[in-house]
Amino acid sequence: MARRALPITAATLTATAALLLSACGGDDDKSPDDTKAADAGSSPSASASATTPPLAKRPDITIPSSFQLTFEDWTSSDPRRQAVLDDAEEEVRAGYAAIIANDPDSESVAFYDTEGVRGQTKEWIKSYTDKNLTVIGKLPSFNPRVVLAENGQGAALTYCTDESDAKTRNRKTGKVEGNPAGTNPYVVYAVSLTKNEQGVWQNSSVRSERGKCSR
């Protein structure tokens, strides 16, 4: 179920790697000074651009009730971080919607992925569709953390998912399977995003590691 299950290392992004220390599980223990430091990295121009109406018309993405993909506490009082969370959420939804629709060439996925990562997402989708699999059950995503780049055009996001109730179903046989017995259901993700000219936050890289977070 995990997307691009590659080890998360310091090479991913310095900001993302730092976030991994508290990405999933436990309380957010950032000090007031840490918060100020993160906010200080945002330029006035970045704040101004965050208030500019987006030029792009975002696609409508529909996921059937047979797969309950939820995003717990994906909210921020900072509109700049909220914009990152909103587009990152839609990218995740687009990927699973493509699996369910048996559509590896989904235009919605292409909308939310940069050209460099689009092929990797397609291969992940095809790892299901080539085997006649769809997804069912429940997949909550929680404990998101966002760090913005100083220029306001890049961001790092970490979050956790719980695959305990996420399963696959074979389209032909109807066979339902979950993760193999003994598999840790928790997966932490580290995502790099860049804002394109239309104001859309697109995934530019995704890394994941199983067993590195919990509720």
Side-chain angles (χ1 to χ4, degrees), residues 131-195:
K131 300 174 184 176
N132 292 312
L133 297 177
T134 186
V135 288
I136 60 173
K138 300 178 181 179
L139 183 64
S141 301
F142 53 95
N143 279 2
R145 299 287 186 271
V146 176
V147 169
L148 294 169
E150 291 186 3
N151 62 7
Q153 300 301 306
L157 165 68
T158 59
Y159 65 94
C160 189
T161 62
D162 178 2
E163 298 181 349
S164 298
D165 297 316
K167 304 179 187 301
T168 61
R169 181 173 62 200
N170 189 288
R171 299 177 192 273
K172 291 185 176 180
T173 67
K175 184 178 181 180
V176 174
E177 291 186 306
N179 282 329
T183 301
N184 191 306
Y186 294 104
V187 181
V188 65
Y189 288 88
V191 184
S192 301
L193 303 99
T194 57
K195 187 163 64 172

Coordinates of all heavy atoms in Angstrom, one line a residue, residues 131-195:
K131 N -2.0 -5.5 -11.9 CA -2.4 -6.8 -11.2 C -3.9 -6.9 -11.0 O -4.4 -7.7 -10.3 CB -1.7 -6.9 -9.9 CG -0.1 -6.9 -10.0 CD 0.5 -6.9 -8.6 CE 2.0 -6.8 -8.6 NZ 2.6 -6.7 -7.3
N132 N -4.6 -6.0 -11.7 CA -6.1 -5.9 -11.6 C -6.5 -5.7 -10.2 O -7.6 -6.2 -9.8 CB -6.7 -7.2 -12.1 CG -6.5 -7.4 -13.6 OD1 -6.8 -6.5 -14.4 ND2 -6.0 -8.6 -14.0
L133 N -5.8 -4.9 -9.4 CA -6.1 -4.6 -8.0 C -6.7 -3.2 -7.9 O -6.3 -2.2 -8.6 CB -4.9 -4.7 -7.1 CG -4.2 -6.1 -7.0 CD1 -3.0 -6.0 -6.2 CD2 -5.2 -7.1 -6.5
T134 N -7.6 -3.1 -7.0 CA -8.1 -1.8 -6.6 C -8.0 -1.7 -5.0 O -7.5 -2.6 -4.4 CB -9.6 -1.5 -6.9 OG1 -10.0 -0.2 -6.6 CG2 -10.5 -2.5 -6.2
V135 N -8.3 -0.6 -4.4 CA -8.1 -0.4 -3.0 C -9.5 -0.2 -2.3 O -10.4 0.4 -2.9 CB -7.2 0.8 -2.7 CG1 -5.7 0.5 -3.0 CG2 -7.6 2.1 -3.4
I136 N -9.6 -0.8 -1.1 CA -10.8 -0.7 -0.3 C -10.4 -0.5 1.1 O -9.2 -0.6 1.5 CB -11.7 -1.9 -0.5 CG1 -11.0 -3.2 0.0 CG2 -12.2 -2.0 -1.9 CD1 -11.9 -4.4 0.0
G137 N -11.4 -0.2 2.0 CA -11.1 -0.1 3.4 C -10.9 1.3 3.9 O -11.5 2.2 3.3
K138 N -10.0 1.5 4.8 CA -9.8 2.8 5.4 C -8.3 3.1 5.5 O -7.5 2.2 5.8 CB -10.3 2.8 6.9 CG -11.8 2.5 7.0 CD -12.2 2.5 8.4 CE -13.7 2.2 8.6 NZ -14.1 2.2 10.0
L139 N -8.0 4.3 5.2 CA -6.6 4.8 5.2 C -6.5 6.2 5.8 O -6.7 7.2 5.1 CB -5.9 4.7 3.9 CG -4.4 5.1 3.8 CD1 -3.6 4.1 4.6 CD2 -3.9 5.2 2.4
P140 N -6.3 6.3 7.1 CA -6.2 7.7 7.7 C -4.8 8.2 7.5 O -3.8 7.5 7.7 CB -6.6 7.4 9.2 CG -6.2 6.0 9.4 CD -6.4 5.3 8.1
S141 N -4.7 9.5 7.3 CA -3.4 10.2 7.2 C -3.4 11.3 8.3 O -4.4 12.0 8.5 CB -3.2 10.9 5.9 OG -3.2 9.9 4.8
F142 N -2.4 11.4 9.1 CA -2.4 12.2 10.3 C -1.1 12.8 10.6 O 0.0 12.4 10.1 CB -3.0 11.5 11.5 CG -2.3 10.2 11.8 CD1 -1.3 10.1 12.7 CD2 -2.6 9.0 11.1 CE1 -0.6 8.9 13.0 CE2 -2.0 7.8 11.4 CZ -1.0 7.8 12.3
N143 N -1.1 13.7 11.6 CA 0.1 14.4 12.1 C 1.0 15.0 10.9 O 2.2 14.8 10.8 CB 1.0 13.5 12.9 CG 0.5 13.3 14.3 OD1 -0.5 13.9 14.7 ND2 1.2 12.5 15.1
P144 N 0.4 15.9 10.1 CA 1.2 16.6 9.1 C 2.0 17.7 9.7 O 1.6 18.3 10.7 CB 0.1 17.2 8.2 CG -1.0 17.4 9.1 CD -1.0 16.3 10.1
R145 N 3.2 17.9 9.1 CA 4.1 19.0 9.5 C 4.6 19.7 8.3 O 5.1 19.0 7.3 CB 5.3 18.5 10.4 CG 4.9 17.8 11.7 CD 4.4 18.9 12.7 NE 4.2 18.3 14.0 CZ 3.0 17.7 14.4 NH1 2.0 17.7 13.6 NH2 2.9 17.2 15.6
V146 N 4.5 21.0 8.2 CA 4.9 21.7 7.0 C 6.0 22.7 7.4 O 5.9 23.4 8.4 CB 3.8 22.5 6.4 CG1 4.2 23.3 5.2 CG2 2.7 21.5 6.0
V147 N 7.1 22.8 6.6 CA 8.1 23.8 6.7 C 8.2 24.5 5.3 O 8.3 23.8 4.3 CB 9.5 23.2 7.0 CG1 10.6 24.2 6.8 CG2 9.5 22.7 8.5
L148 N 8.2 25.8 5.3 CA 8.2 26.6 4.1 C 9.7 27.0 3.8 O 10.4 27.4 4.7 CB 7.3 27.8 4.2 CG 5.8 27.5 4.2 CD1 5.1 28.8 4.6 CD2 5.3 27.0 2.9
A149 N 10.0 27.0 2.5 CA 11.3 27.6 2.1 C 11.3 29.1 2.2 O 10.3 29.7 2.2 CB 11.6 27.2 0.7
E150 N 12.5 29.7 2.4 CA 12.6 31.1 2.6 C 12.0 31.9 1.4 O 11.4 33.0 1.6 CB 14.1 31.5 2.8 CG 14.6 31.0 4.1 CD 16.1 31.5 4.3 OE1 16.5 32.3 3.4 OE2 16.7 31.2 5.3
N151 N 12.1 31.4 0.2 CA 11.6 32.1 -1.0 C 10.1 31.9 -1.2 O 9.5 32.5 -2.1 CB 12.4 31.7 -2.2 CG 12.2 30.2 -2.6 OD1 11.4 29.5 -2.0 ND2 12.9 29.8 -3.6
G152 N 9.4 31.1 -0.4 CA 8.0 30.9 -0.5 C 7.6 30.0 -1.6 O 6.4 29.8 -1.9
Q153 N 8.6 29.5 -2.4 CA 8.2 28.7 -3.6 C 8.5 27.2 -3.3 O 8.2 26.4 -4.2 CB 9.1 29.1 -4.8 CG 8.8 30.6 -5.1 CD 7.4 30.9 -5.5 OE1 6.8 30.2 -6.3 NE2 6.8 31.9 -4.8
G154 N 8.9 26.8 -2.2 CA 9.2 25.4 -1.9 C 8.7 25.1 -0.5 O 8.5 26.0 0.4
A155 N 8.4 23.8 -0.2 CA 7.9 23.4 1.1 C 8.3 21.9 1.3 O 8.5 21.1 0.4 CB 6.4 23.5 1.2
A156 N 8.4 21.6 2.6 CA 8.6 20.2 3.0 C 7.5 19.7 3.9 O 7.0 20.5 4.7 CB 10.0 20.0 3.7
L157 N 7.0 18.6 3.6 CA 5.8 18.0 4.4 C 6.1 16.6 4.8 O 6.6 15.8 4.1 CB 4.6 18.0 3.5 CG 3.4 17.2 3.9 CD1 2.7 17.8 5.2 CD2 2.3 17.0 2.8
T158 N 5.8 16.3 6.1 CA 5.9 15.0 6.6 C 4.5 14.7 7.2 O 3.8 15.5 7.7 CB 6.9 14.7 7.7 OG1 6.7 15.6 8.8 CG2 8.3 15.0 7.1
Y159 N 4.1 13.4 7.0 CA 2.9 12.9 7.6 C 2.9 11.4 7.8 O 3.8 10.8 7.3 CB 1.6 13.4 6.8 CG 1.6 12.7 5.4 CD1 0.8 11.6 5.2 CD2 2.2 13.3 4.3 CE1 0.7 11.0 3.9 CE2 2.1 12.8 3.1 CZ 1.4 11.6 2.9 OH 1.3 11.1 1.6
C160 N 1.9 10.9 8.5 CA 1.9 9.5 8.8 C 0.6 8.9 8.3 O -0.4 9.5 8.3 CB 2.1 9.2 10.3 SG 2.3 7.5 10.7
T161 N 0.6 7.6 7.9 CA -0.6 6.9 7.5 C -0.7 5.6 8.3 O 0.4 5.0 8.8 CB -0.7 6.5 6.0 OG1 0.4 5.6 5.7 CG2 -0.6 7.8 5.2
D162 N -1.9 5.1 8.5 CA -2.1 3.8 9.3 C -2.8 2.9 8.3 O -4.0 3.1 8.0 CB -3.0 4.1 10.5 CG -3.3 2.9 11.3 OD1 -2.9 1.8 10.9 OD2 -4.1 3.0 12.3
E163 N -2.1 1.8 7.9 CA -2.7 0.9 6.9 C -3.4 -0.3 7.5 O -3.7 -1.3 6.8 CB -1.5 0.4 6.0 CG -0.9 1.5 5.2 CD 0.2 0.9 4.3 OE1 0.6 -0.3 4.4 OE2 0.7 1.7 3.4
S164 N -3.7 -0.2 8.8 CA -4.3 -1.4 9.5 C -5.6 -1.9 8.8 O -5.8 -3.1 8.7 CB -4.7 -1.0 10.9 OG -3.5 -0.6 11.7
D165 N -6.4 -0.9 8.3 CA -7.7 -1.3 7.7 C -7.7 -1.1 6.2 O -8.8 -1.0 5.6 CB -8.8 -0.6 8.4 CG -9.0 -1.0 9.8 OD1 -8.9 -2.2 10.1 OD2 -9.1 -0.1 10.6
A166 N -6.5 -0.9 5.6 CA -6.5 -0.7 4.1 C -6.2 -2.0 3.4 O -5.3 -2.8 3.9 CB -5.4 0.3 3.8
K167 N -7.0 -2.3 2.4 CA -6.8 -3.6 1.7 C -6.9 -3.4 0.2 O -7.3 -2.3 -0.3 CB -8.0 -4.5 2.2 CG -8.0 -4.7 3.7 CD -9.2 -5.6 4.1 CE -9.3 -5.7 5.6 NZ -8.1 -6.2 6.2
T168 N -6.6 -4.5 -0.5 CA -6.7 -4.5 -2.0 C -7.8 -5.5 -2.3 O -8.0 -6.5 -1.6 CB -5.4 -4.9 -2.7 OG1 -5.0 -6.2 -2.3 CG2 -4.3 -3.8 -2.4
R169 N -8.4 -5.3 -3.5 CA -9.4 -6.3 -4.0 C -9.1 -6.5 -5.4 O -9.0 -5.6 -6.2 CB -10.8 -5.8 -3.8 CG -11.9 -6.8 -4.3 CD -13.3 -6.3 -3.9 NE -13.6 -5.0 -4.5 CZ -14.6 -4.2 -4.1 NH1 -15.3 -4.5 -3.0 NH2 -14.8 -3.1 -4.7
N170 N -9.1 -7.8 -5.8 CA -8.8 -8.1 -7.2 C -10.1 -7.9 -8.0 O -11.2 -8.4 -7.7 CB -8.4 -9.6 -7.3 CG -7.9 -10.0 -8.7 OD1 -8.7 -10.1 -9.6 ND2 -6.6 -10.2 -8.8
R171 N -10.0 -7.2 -9.1 CA -11.1 -6.8 -9.9 C -11.8 -8.0 -10.5 O -13.0 -8.0 -10.8 CB -10.8 -5.8 -11.0 CG -10.2 -4.5 -10.5 CD -9.8 -3.6 -11.7 NE -9.0 -2.5 -11.2 CZ -9.5 -1.3 -10.8 NH1 -10.8 -1.2 -10.8 NH2 -8.7 -0.3 -10.4
K172 N -11.0 -9.0 -10.8 CA -11.5 -10.2 -11.5 C -12.0 -11.3 -10.6 O -13.1 -11.8 -10.8 CB -10.4 -10.8 -12.4 CG -10.1 -9.9 -13.6 CD -9.1 -10.7 -14.5 CE -8.8 -9.8 -15.8 NZ -7.8 -10.5 -16.7
T173 N -11.3 -11.6 -9.5 CA -11.6 -12.7 -8.6 C -12.4 -12.2 -7.4 O -13.0 -13.0 -6.7 CB -10.4 -13.4 -8.2 OG1 -9.6 -12.5 -7.3 CG2 -9.5 -13.9 -9.3
G174 N -12.3 -10.9 -7.1 CA -12.9 -10.4 -5.9 C -12.1 -10.7 -4.6 O -12.6 -10.3 -3.5
K175 N -11.0 -11.3 -4.7 CA -10.2 -11.6 -3.5 C -9.7 -10.4 -2.8 O -9.1 -9.5 -3.5 CB -9.0 -12.5 -3.9 CG -8.1 -13.0 -2.7 CD -7.0 -13.9 -3.2 CE -6.2 -14.4 -2.0 NZ -5.0 -15.2 -2.4
V176 N -9.9 -10.3 -1.5 CA -9.4 -9.2 -0.7 C -8.2 -9.6 0.1 O -8.2 -10.6 0.8 CB -10.6 -8.7 0.2 CG1 -10.1 -7.7 1.2 CG2 -11.8 -8.3 -0.6
E177 N -7.2 -8.7 0.1 CA -6.0 -8.9 0.9 C -5.6 -7.7 1.6 O -5.7 -6.6 1.0 CB -4.9 -9.5 0.0 CG -5.1 -10.9 -0.5 CD -3.9 -11.3 -1.3 OE1 -3.4 -10.6 -2.2 OE2 -3.4 -12.4 -0.9
G178 N -5.0 -7.8 2.8 CA -4.4 -6.7 3.5 C -2.9 -6.9 3.5 O -2.3 -7.7 2.7
N179 N -2.1 -6.2 4.3 CA -0.7 -6.4 4.4 C -0.4 -7.7 5.0 O -1.2 -8.3 5.8 CB -0.1 -5.3 5.3 CG 0.1 -4.0 4.6 OD1 0.3 -3.9 3.4 ND2 0.0 -2.9 5.3
P180 N 0.7 -8.3 4.6 CA 1.1 -9.6 5.2 C 1.2 -9.6 6.7 O 1.5 -8.5 7.3 CB 2.5 -9.9 4.6 CG 2.5 -9.1 3.3 CD 1.7 -7.9 3.6
A181 N 0.9 -10.7 7.4 CA 0.9 -10.7 8.8 C 2.3 -10.3 9.3 O 3.3 -10.6 8.8 CB 0.6 -12.1 9.3
G182 N 2.3 -9.5 10.4 CA 3.5 -9.0 11.0 C 4.0 -7.7 10.4 O 5.0 -7.1 10.9
T183 N 3.3 -7.2 9.4 CA 3.8 -5.9 8.8 C 3.4 -4.7 9.6 O 2.2 -4.6 10.1 CB 3.1 -5.7 7.4 OG1 3.5 -6.8 6.5 CG2 3.6 -4.4 6.7
N184 N 4.3 -3.9 9.9 CA 3.9 -2.7 10.7 C 3.0 -1.8 9.8 O 3.4 -1.4 8.7 CB 5.2 -1.9 11.1 CG 5.0 -0.8 12.1 OD1 4.1 0.1 11.8 ND2 5.7 -0.8 13.2
P185 N 1.8 -1.4 10.3 CA 0.9 -0.7 9.5 C 1.2 0.8 9.3 O 0.6 1.5 8.5 CB -0.4 -0.9 10.2 CG 0.0 -1.0 11.7 CD 1.3 -1.7 11.7
Y186 N 2.1 1.3 10.1 CA 2.4 2.8 10.1 C 3.5 3.1 9.1 O 4.6 2.5 9.1 CB 2.8 3.3 11.5 CG 1.6 3.1 12.4 CD1 1.6 2.1 13.4 CD2 0.5 4.0 12.4 CE1 0.6 2.0 14.3 CE2 -0.5 3.9 13.3 CZ -0.5 2.9 14.2 OH -1.5 2.8 15.1
V187 N 3.2 4.1 8.3 CA 4.2 4.6 7.3 C 4.3 6.1 7.4 O 3.3 6.8 7.4 CB 3.8 4.2 5.8 CG1 4.8 4.6 4.8 CG2 3.5 2.7 5.7
V188 N 5.6 6.5 7.5 CA 5.8 8.0 7.5 C 6.3 8.4 6.1 O 7.0 7.7 5.4 CB 6.9 8.4 8.5 CG1 8.3 7.8 8.2 CG2 7.0 9.9 8.7
Y189 N 5.8 9.6 5.7 CA 6.1 10.1 4.4 C 6.8 11.4 4.5 O 6.5 12.3 5.4 CB 4.8 10.3 3.5 CG 4.2 9.1 3.1 CD1 3.2 8.4 3.9 CD2 4.5 8.5 1.8 CE1 2.7 7.2 3.4 CE2 3.9 7.3 1.4 CZ 3.0 6.7 2.2 OH 2.5 5.5 1.8
A190 N 7.8 11.7 3.6 CA 8.5 12.9 3.5 C 8.3 13.4 2.1 O 8.7 12.7 1.1 CB 9.9 12.8 3.9
V191 N 7.7 14.6 1.9 CA 7.3 15.1 0.6 C 8.0 16.4 0.4 O 7.9 17.3 1.3 CB 5.8 15.2 0.4 CG1 5.5 15.6 -1.0 CG2 5.1 13.9 0.8
S192 N 8.6 16.6 -0.8 CA 9.0 18.0 -1.2 C 8.0 18.5 -2.2 O 7.6 17.8 -3.1 CB 10.4 17.9 -1.8 OG 11.4 17.3 -1.0
L193 N 7.7 19.8 -2.1 CA 6.7 20.4 -3.0 C 7.3 21.7 -3.5 O 8.0 22.4 -2.8 CB 5.4 20.7 -2.3 CG 4.7 19.5 -1.6 CD1 4.9 19.4 -0.1 CD2 3.1 19.5 -1.9
T194 N 6.9 22.0 -4.7 CA 7.2 23.3 -5.3 C 6.0 24.0 -5.8 O 5.1 23.3 -6.3 CB 8.2 23.2 -6.4 OG1 7.7 22.3 -7.4 CG2 9.6 22.6 -5.9
K195 N 5.9 25.3 -5.8 CA 4.7 26.0 -6.2 C 5.0 26.4 -7.7 O 5.9 27.1 -8.0 CB 4.4 27.2 -5.4 CG 3.1 27.9 -5.7 CD 2.7 28.9 -4.6 CE 3.6 30.0 -4.3 NZ 3.0 31.0 -3.4

